[in-house]
Amino acid sequence: MEHSKVTPREAQRRRLPLEKHRLEDWIGKIYTSVCVVFLIAVIVSIVYFVTSKGVATFAVNGVSLTEFFFGTHWAPDAAEPSFGALPAITGSFLVTLLAALIASPLSIAAALFMTEIVPTFGKRILQPAIELLSGIPSVVYGFIGLTLIVPFLRDHVGGQGIGVGAGALVLSIMILPTITSVAADALASLPRGLREASYALGATRWQTIYRVVLPTVLPALLTGIVLGMARAFGEALAVQMVIGNAPYIPTSLLESASTLTSVITLGMGNTAMGSIQNNALWSMALVLMLMTFVFILIIRLLERRNRI
Amino acid sequence: MTTKTVNTKARTRARNADKIATVIIVALALSIVVILLGLLGFILFRGLGHINWDFLTSKPQTIREGGGIGPPLFNSLYLLVLTMIITIPLGLGGGIYMSEYAKPGKITAFIRLVVEVLSSFPSIVIGLFGLLVFVNTMGMGFSLLAGALALTIFNLPLMVRITEQAFSSVPREQKEAGLALGLSKWKIITSIMLPVAIPSLVTGTILAAGRVFGEAAALLFTSGMTTPPLNFSDWNPLHPRSPLNPLRPAETLATHIWKVNSEGLAPDAIQIAAGASAVLVIMVLIFNLLARWGGRTLYRYMTASKRMN
């Protein structure tokens, strides 16, 4: 037989490239897998550490869940400390919802403008403008809020300027780009035939947008809004700078309030690790983290609806 | 009334509604452009007058007037470099795995969920995690290294997504050509696909860098809010006063702006914040321009579009 003449040395020489092959693939697989495992390890440890510290308030220090979630008095340093986080939780939800209410119509209009009305101008001017807007750091938005929005509100609307209204305005500018880009992507990916069919039936552009385009992309629009709300809910420094940080449930938009993030930002540096005051702040971080999961869950549900 | 007049009426109404809607949409969209230009103009107008060489290089003052932003500016840049050194290899690996190795199934779906969750975590939560794990448990103290690690967590999901997108947009034929040459999968990834993916990788990385550069909330609790007196002639990373020492605390430009605004005692705090904000925005603008220009130039250089013509 022909191949029986191959000497062992020759056979090894022929096998060599294959060995190198295998080694290379092995290196690649190991390297990329290690990266992914690291990613998973990071998230597992974040969830573990934040949860274990956040639960300690209730498990170790014996603060009741009812007191934390429904108590309206936040005074961790007082002689008779109380840990009612309701004002901060209310504040977080309030500014988030208000910001979404202000930003959504603007964003959707911008997305419609970019895709349906003036695509060339939209792509050339509005798109880069919005990308830029999303790149501006949050402390700069906080600074703008402090030096532009707060004095404006104080002089023209009333109150001290700082407060829920200022916080919501700053946040709404911050989440504008998020909602706009998601909405614009969704609108741009609609099949052309959909619009053409509507025009062929004699519909005007607004009728097409209102009756055909918007209902079709509604889940995607909602996804964008939820993404924006997730960002607003977790934003810390910009809000902290303009909201006034008063530990009460606000009764008007011009009143000072506080959010979960602002309380954590201000309090974390002044408490000792492991103390009850510190653990209470970690419980707030746990609430923030759980809310992130809720937002992601909502987004996933919306995406599932979007697919069908 | 005949059917015809009803139809005409309905048509006029529809046309009017169309006109009104168009006007409203255009007005809202233009108002966004106005808001953006207004904000940019405001920041630059307020800040540019305060920026000079002395402001960019001198030390911040806590109580007296006339502080600069030299050390924070250096810290921001150095922290960015440290973060990128850690993030890029990890993000590349993760992204390549997702695009080339991951098979559709439960595990891949889970990893996707992990990336999504990681990218949606509020940065303050990541900062607190850094405080607990890097600063306290691992004993790094408030340090550049702890800050860089926190920013890595913050930046990693973005980097993975950028890499995955860049690799999946490489044409199939390129990969098949490599297979036909008998190359190993890893060789194809590194020597055929990577060069094709590099332009979009660079664009994405620079944009991510811009985001990292302005991040503050995650750094308050990891790299700290102070900078020790630095000796800018000592470049040995092991010396405690060397600017390159990764285990020293560092206040970055973004945290400096926050600190000056919320607890600044200097009489010119507002001007300093305005100047520092302008510097930060200019840096973001530079990152944006660099990303656009760099990506395009690299694309022309790395692909055949130049050699063919």
Side-chain angles (χ1 to χ4, degrees):
Chain A
M1 297 292 278
E2 200 61 32
H3 67 262
S4 63
K5 277 182 194 163
V6 176
T7 59
R9 184 180 288 259
E10 175 64 13
Q12 200 192 2
R13 200 191 62 82
R14 281 193 193 170
R15 222 181 306 137
L16 250 182
L18 192 73
E19 294 292 324
K20 197 175 151 223
H21 225 111
R22 285 230 179 100
L23 186 70
E24 273 173 4
D25 268 343
W26 189 77
I27 291 173
K29 204 153 203 179
I30 294 285
Y31 165 58
T32 54
S33 309
V34 164
C35 293
V36 169
V37 168
F38 177 81
L39 211 61
I40 297 172
V42 164
I43 199 122
V44 168
S45 55
I46 292 180
V47 172
Y48 168 74
F49 279 110
V50 173
T51 310
S52 63
K53 291 287 277 185
V55 166
T57 319
F58 313 109
V60 180
N61 306 112
V63 176
S64 73
L65 278 170
T66 354
E67 183 189 350
F68 186 78
F69 284 104
F70 299 106
T72 52
H73 193 49
W74 176 260
D77 295 330
E80 193 97 347
S82 63
F83 300 94
L86 192 62
I89 296 173
T90 320
S92 279
F93 276 102
L94 201 57
V95 288
T96 304
L97 287 173
L98 282 173
L101 274 181
I102 302 169
S104 303
L106 278 174
S107 308
I108 293 170
L112 286 172
F113 180 79
M114 269 158 66
T115 51
E116 310 286 319
I117 298 182
V118 201
T120 43
F121 175 83
K123 279 215 183 70
R124 209 165 293 158
I125 310 278
L126 202 56
Q127 182 112 36
I130 282 161
E131 274 166 24
L132 201 62
L133 210 55
S134 76
I136 294 179
S138 56
V139 281
V140 175
Y141 281 116
F143 173 70
I144 292 170
L146 210 54
T147 51
L148 194 68
I149 295 176
V150 167
F152 179 85
L153 288 179
R154 188 169 49 215
D155 297 343
H156 299 277
V157 184
Q160 286 194 304
I162 51 172
V164 182
L169 279 175
V170 169
L171 281 177
S172 65
I173 304 173
M174 293 184 67
I175 64 174
L176 253 176
T178 314
I179 307 179
T180 309
S181 52
V182 175
D185 282 350
L187 288 171
S189 66
L190 271 189
R192 274 184 66 84
L194 206 63
R195 294 186 190 100
E196 277 160 10
S198 170
Y199 287 132
L201 288 173
T204 63
R205 183 164 60 198
W206 174 240
Q207 283 170 332
T208 307
I209 291 174
Y210 183 68
R211 299 255 170 82
V212 180
V213 173
L214 285 184
T216 320
V217 294
L218 187 66
L221 294 182
L222 291 175
T223 305
I225 294 171
V226 175
L227 272 174
M229 285 171 71
R231 191 175 172 205
F233 201 84
E235 174 49 44
L237 302 189
V239 181
Q240 186 272 321
M241 283 157 88
V242 297
I243 200 161
N245 305 304
Y248 310 110
I249 296 177
T251 50
S252 101
L253 291 184
L254 299 169
E255 235 170 75
S256 279
S258 57
T259 62
L260 291 167
T261 50
S262 73
V263 174
I264 297 174
T265 311
L266 291 176
M268 202 46 108
N270 306 323
T271 54
M273 227 8 133
S275 63
I276 179 167
Q277 291 93 338
N278 187 268
N279 284 347
L281 294 175
W282 277 96
S283 301
M284 289 188 164
L286 179 61
V287 175
L288 276 180
M289 194 176 80
L290 293 177
M291 273 312 290
T292 311
F293 293 145
V294 171
F295 283 126
I296 288 176
L297 189 72
I298 298 174
I299 290 169
R300 290 260 154 158
L301 290 176
L302 285 169
E303 272 169 0
R304 195 167 300 160
R305 241 192 84 191
N306 202 10
R307 225 175 290 146
I308 298 165
Chain B
M1 221 189 280
T2 59
T3 338
K4 204 171 177 187
T5 47
V6 173
N7 268 345
T8 333
K9 256 190 189 162
R11 211 178 298 153
T12 342
R13 210 185 304 137
R15 235 175 253 157
N16 285 340
D18 184 47
K19 268 180 208 150
I20 293 168
T22 308
V23 168
I24 291 175
I25 291 174
V26 171
L28 289 180
L30 288 182
S31 72
I32 291 187
V33 179
V34 171
I35 289 174
L36 174 83
L37 291 179
L39 293 185
L40 273 185
F42 174 75
I43 295 168
L44 295 177
F45 176 75
R46 286 290 301 262
L48 277 182
H50 201 70
I51 299 176
N52 52 37
W53 185 247
D54 190 49
F55 178 69
L56 288 178
T57 53
S58 62
K59 271 191 303 186
Q61 303 284 356
T62 24
I63 299 167
R64 269 181 301 148
E65 215 169 316
I69 54 163
L73 186 58
F74 173 82
N75 288 340
S76 283
L77 289 169
Y78 185 43
L79 197 58
L80 180 63
V81 173
L82 280 180
T83 307
M84 284 307 175
I85 290 175
I86 311 173
T87 313
I88 290 175
L90 282 173
L92 269 182
I96 291 174
Y97 181 91
M98 290 312 286
S99 131
E100 301 304 315
Y101 289 100
K103 294 179 186 69
K106 283 222 170 98
I107 298 175
T108 307
F110 174 70
I111 302 171
R112 257 178 229 294
L113 181 66
V114 164
V115 174
E116 193 181 337
V117 170
L118 207 51
S119 68
S120 340
F121 269 154
S123 56
I124 188 168
V125 170
I126 292 176
L128 291 178
F129 171 74
L131 172 69
L132 185 63
V133 173
F134 305 136
V135 176
N136 289 336
T137 311
M138 292 165 100
M140 292 177 198
F142 288 121
S143 65
L144 279 165
L145 187 59
L149 287 171
L151 285 186
T152 298
I153 297 179
F154 179 71
N155 200 22
L156 200 53
L158 198 64
M159 202 64 218
V160 168
R161 213 173 288 162
I162 291 163
T163 311
E164 192 189 344
Q165 266 169 16
F167 269 83
S168 7
S169 62
V170 174
R172 250 188 91 79
E173 289 80 6
Q174 304 254 27
K175 217 163 40 170
E176 281 163 4
L179 283 170
L181 288 173
L183 297 176
S184 71
K185 189 169 184 179
W186 183 241
K187 192 84 186 162
I188 295 171
I189 290 171
T190 50
S191 55
I192 297 181
M193 301 182 73
L194 186 63
V196 183
I198 271 188
S200 35
L201 277 179
V202 168
T203 309
T205 310
I206 296 176
L207 286 176
R211 221 170 68 117
V212 165
F213 195 80
E215 175 52 36
L219 291 175
L220 285 185
F221 307 122
T222 49
S223 72
M225 285 197 279
T226 52
T227 309
L230 297 176
N231 176 7
F232 274 92
S233 56
D234 181 358
W235 295 101
N236 183 342
L238 298 175
H239 289 180
R241 285 185 59 191
S242 159
L244 291 187
N245 181 1
L247 288 176
R248 67 175 174 83
E251 174 195 38
T252 66
L253 206 52
T255 45
H256 185 62
I257 294 174
W258 181 75
K259 199 172 96 176
V260 164
N261 268 319
S262 47
E263 48 195 54
L265 295 172
D268 57 346
I270 280 288
Q271 281 91 328
I272 292 172
S277 297
V279 172
L280 205 52
V281 168
I282 292 170
M283 293 298 291
V284 170
L285 281 173
I286 293 175
F287 278 119
N288 265 282
L289 292 176
L290 209 64
R292 270 160 207 280
W293 172 83
R296 214 180 307 140
T297 318
L298 266 175
Y299 183 76
R300 241 177 269 148
Y301 180 75
M302 307 277 305
T303 61
S305 62
K306 199 166 112 194
R307 264 167 280 162
M308 295 266 283
N309 301 322

